[in-house]
Amino acid sequence: MSTRAPESSLCPFRLLLPDDVAIAQADREEHWDRGLMPEERALVERAVAKRQREFTAGRNCARTAMRTLGLSEKDLGAIGVGRHREPLFPSGVIGSITHTDDFCAAAMSRTGGAIASLGIDVDANTALDAALVPMVMQPDEMAVWQEAVPTTCHAAILAFSIKEAFFKAFFPLCQCYLEFGDARLVPTSSGTGADGIGRVTLTVPDRRLAALLDGLRIDGRYTFDALRVYSAVTLLR
C-alpha cells in the first residue's frame, strides 16, 4: 500500500483499513448541523431532526475524506441516495459511511487499486437484544465467536457490526441485500481485540453472488473501546 494518507482527526478506523484509505470523522459540532448541498438537503428535508443530523455528518465526512484523496472541489458534488438508500459517490472513488447518535465517520479510496470495495460500521458496545442474537449468528457460530472475543466487548453486537460492514462492502458488487444468515463469521485471531480479525464467508447458495467474490480476499477487522465497536471489511484484489 502507499504512504499513509493524512487525516483531519484521529479515528479508530485508521487501525482497521489500508494506509491509502482516507478517513474522516465528525469531530466538531458544525459537521453535524451544516454543510449540505441543496440537492442533499432536499433528500432529508422531511426527515426527523436525528436523521438530518446524521445524514449531514456523513456527507461532510465523505467530502473531507475525498479531499484527502486529492479530489478537486468541482468533483465534490452532491452525494445522492440510490434506490437501495446507498450513498452515490462520484465516479472514481469507493467508500462507506457509518454513524451512531454521536459518532460519524467515512472511509474513501480511489478505484482501480488493490481495494475492490470497502465497508465500515460502528455500534454501541452494549448487549444486543437477546431476541436478535439468533438472527445474527447460528448457535455454533456464536459459541466459537464468544470464545475469541474479549469479555470487555459484547460479542453479539460485534458480530452484527462486522457482518454489516461486509454487507456494505459487498453491496456495490451484488446490488442486493443479504440476510445475516447469508454470511458466516469465524475468528482468525483473539486476545486484546484491538485490530482483531474475523474471517467472513458467504454461505448463501447463489452461484452468481459467489462468483462476484472470486479472486477477492475478504479482510474483516475490528477494534473497540468502552463506548463502541468499530468494524471494517475490505474486498481486496
Side-chain angles (χ1 to χ4, degrees), residues 4 90 148 155 177 180 182 186 192 210 219 237:
R4 175 165 299 182
Y177 282 118
F180 283 102
D182 295 333
V186 178
T192 66
D219 184 48
R237 295 185 177 93

Side-chain angles (χ1 to χ4, degrees), residues 170 173 202 206-216:
F170 192 39
L173 306 183
L202 194 65
D206 186 321
R207 292 182 179 179
R208 181 188 71 85
L209 294 181
L212 294 173
L213 292 173
D214 281 351
L216 298 179

Side-chain angles (χ1 to χ4, degrees), residues 100-123:
T100 61
D101 291 346
D102 59 356
F103 178 95
C104 182
M108 306 294 301
S109 182
R110 294 276 191 174
T111 58
I115 300 174
S117 189
L118 62 89
I120 61 173
D121 186 77
V122 61
D123 283 285

Side-chain angles (χ1 to χ4, degrees), residues 1 9 31 72 79 90 108 167 192 207 224:
M1 294 294 180
S9 61
H31 293 156
S72 65
I79 301 172
M108 306 294 301
F167 296 151
T192 66
R207 292 182 179 179
F224 65 91

Side-chain angles (χ1 to χ4, degrees), residues 95-235:
S96 182
I97 298 171
T98 188
H99 55 74
T100 61
D101 291 346
D102 59 356
F103 178 95
C104 182
M108 306 294 301
S109 182
R110 294 276 191 174
T111 58
I115 300 174
S117 189
L118 62 89
I120 61 173
D121 186 77
V122 61
D123 283 285
N125 188 4
T126 57
L128 186 65
D129 187 325
L132 299 179
V133 173
M135 299 173 58
V136 174
M137 296 187 102
Q138 295 297 315
D140 62 323
E141 183 185 12
M142 179 58 78
V144 174
W145 184 246
Q146 284 180 316
E147 284 292 318
V149 174
T151 56
T152 49
C153 180
H154 290 273
I157 196 67
L158 177 59
F160 175 95
S161 181
I162 295 178
K163 289 190 178 185
E164 279 286 312
F166 169 68
F167 296 151
K168 288 182 179 182
F170 192 39
F171 181 84
L173 306 183
C174 69
Q175 292 291 304
C176 66
Y177 282 118
L178 297 174
E179 303 293 335
F180 283 102
D182 295 333
R184 187 173 181 87
L185 185 57
V186 178
T188 56
S189 71
S190 60
T192 66
D195 201 19
I197 301 173
R199 187 175 74 248
V200 187
T201 58
L202 194 65
T203 61
V204 61
D206 186 321
R207 292 182 179 179
R208 181 188 71 85
L209 294 181
L212 294 173
L213 292 173
D214 281 351
L216 298 179
R217 178 166 61 90
I218 304 172
D219 184 48
R221 297 174 184 267
Y222 71 86
T223 191
F224 65 91
D225 54 35
L227 295 177
R228 307 179 192 94
V229 296
Y230 312 86
S231 302
V233 171
T234 49
L235 303 183

